[in-house]
Amino acid sequence: MEFKISTVKFVCIAVFLAGFVDSIAGGGGLISLPAYYAAGIPPHMALGTNKFASSCGTSIATLVYIKNKRFHLITAVISMICAFAGSTIGSRLALVIDEVYLKYVLLILVPLIAVFTVFNKNFDKPKEKNLTKTQTIFISCAIGIFLGIYDGFFGPGMGMFLMLAYTGLLGLDMLTASGNAKIVNLASNIAALTTFISNSKVVYSLAIPAAVSNILGNFIGSKLALRNGSKIIKPIVLVVMVLLLIKIAMDLF
């Protein structure tokens, strides 16, 4: 497929913004996918092209968080492994259950989470949970399984939900939770990308320049997050929630 220079520029700008948002709070696909659709790319090709660019960008953000030691290795690795299994279950459920039921649940749940995030002043601070190693492993596994199912079944805002789970259930600070989310998301993206590439669902003429833009957005966003911490992460999380609500509402109504 060939594209006008103006179309490539439009997509690259959108994908840069998606990478910036994704590196901080997840949910970049809520920005990038509509841009690919607007460029006239068929849905499955858009998904594959988006995975190519986002995998490149997420790998850079992940390296930045790892280099700065803003991740929790055991919880991240356990969640990553379990997310693979959960994603498989979710993708199978998507074949037999209409995702509209989940959308109605999210339409109620996301605003409640947003209100909680806004009014809970200590939400973005690490909390001492006094969890045993067994409890930590179990919760990390549960996060991976259930959010993996969500990712395989529906997917938008996966990174945001990972962050909220790590802060709320394991008591991690937002930066560490963001680092964990990047590790889990990168593994998920690479697994999905392999499938898209093997089925020739990537438009490389657009995916390559988009990948460069996404890398730049992820690099700048992750550096900004490390420098400013929750001051920037919390507002971006709320932005992602609003974008997710808009998408769900548009899909339903």
Side-chain angles (χ1 to χ4, degrees):
M1 297 177 69
E2 295 186 2
F3 302 91
K4 295 179 179 179
I5 294 178
S6 58
T7 300
V8 175
K9 287 181 178 178
F10 165 74
V11 170
C12 286
I13 291 171
V15 173
F16 168 82
L17 291 173
F20 180 83
V21 169
D22 211 31
S23 67
I24 298 172
L30 295 167
I31 299 173
S32 58
L33 277 174
Y36 290 120
Y37 296 147
I41 302 177
H44 286 99
M45 298 292 284
L47 288 171
T49 304
N50 183 58
K51 282 298 180 187
F52 181 93
S54 64
S55 294
C56 294
T58 302
S59 65
I60 297 301
T62 302
L63 288 174
V64 171
Y65 279 101
I66 290 176
K67 181 181 178 181
N68 287 272
K69 299 180 180 179
R70 299 314 300 241
F71 68 101
H72 190 271
L73 182 61
I74 294 177
T75 55
V77 171
I78 291 173
S79 294
M80 179 180 68
I81 294 171
C82 292
F84 273 112
S87 184
T88 302
I89 296 171
S91 59
R92 291 181 182 276
L93 286 174
L95 298 175
V96 296
I97 300 176
D98 194 329
E99 68 179 28
V100 69
Y101 298 113
L102 178 60
K103 289 178 180 178
Y104 280 119
V105 172
L106 289 174
L107 202 58
I108 298 171
L109 186 61
V110 173
L112 292 176
I113 295 174
V115 170
F116 174 77
T117 303
V118 170
F119 291 101
N120 186 351
K121 296 181 179 180
N122 296 316
F123 174 75
D124 53 350
K125 296 178 175 60
K127 305 168 189 65
E128 184 60 51
K129 293 290 186 178
N130 295 317
L131 298 173
T132 65
K133 187 175 182 179
T134 300
Q135 289 173 322
T136 299
I137 292 174
F138 177 80
I139 293 173
S140 301
C141 184
I143 289 172
I145 288 287
F146 287 108
L147 288 180
I149 291 174
Y150 171 79
D151 198 30
F153 185 74
F154 186 54
M158 169 69 164
M160 175 194 69
F161 286 125
L162 280 169
M163 282 186 57
L164 295 174
Y166 285 127
T167 54
L169 300 178
L170 290 175
L172 301 182
D173 64 89
M174 292 193 90
L175 268 178
T176 303
S178 186
N180 273 24
K182 294 298 157 291
I183 293 172
V184 177
N185 259 345
L186 178 60
S188 176
N189 282 347
I190 291 174
L193 178 61
T194 302
T195 301
F196 284 118
I197 289 176
S198 64
N199 287 277
S200 301
K201 296 298 183 183
V202 178
V203 183
Y204 291 101
S205 59
L206 191 56
I208 292 173
V212 174
S213 298
N214 198 264
I215 288 171
L216 185 59
N218 267 276
F219 181 77
I220 293 174
S222 56
K223 287 288 188 179
L224 199 60
L226 288 168
R227 189 178 303 119
N228 295 282
S230 62
K231 291 180 180 179
I232 188 171
I233 295 177
K234 191 172 180 179
I236 295 295
V237 167
L238 294 172
V239 169
V240 172
M241 287 186 193
V242 171
L243 292 174
L244 179 56
L245 274 176
I246 291 172
K247 173 181 170 49
I248 294 170
M250 290 178 66
D251 288 347
L252 289 174
F253 308 111

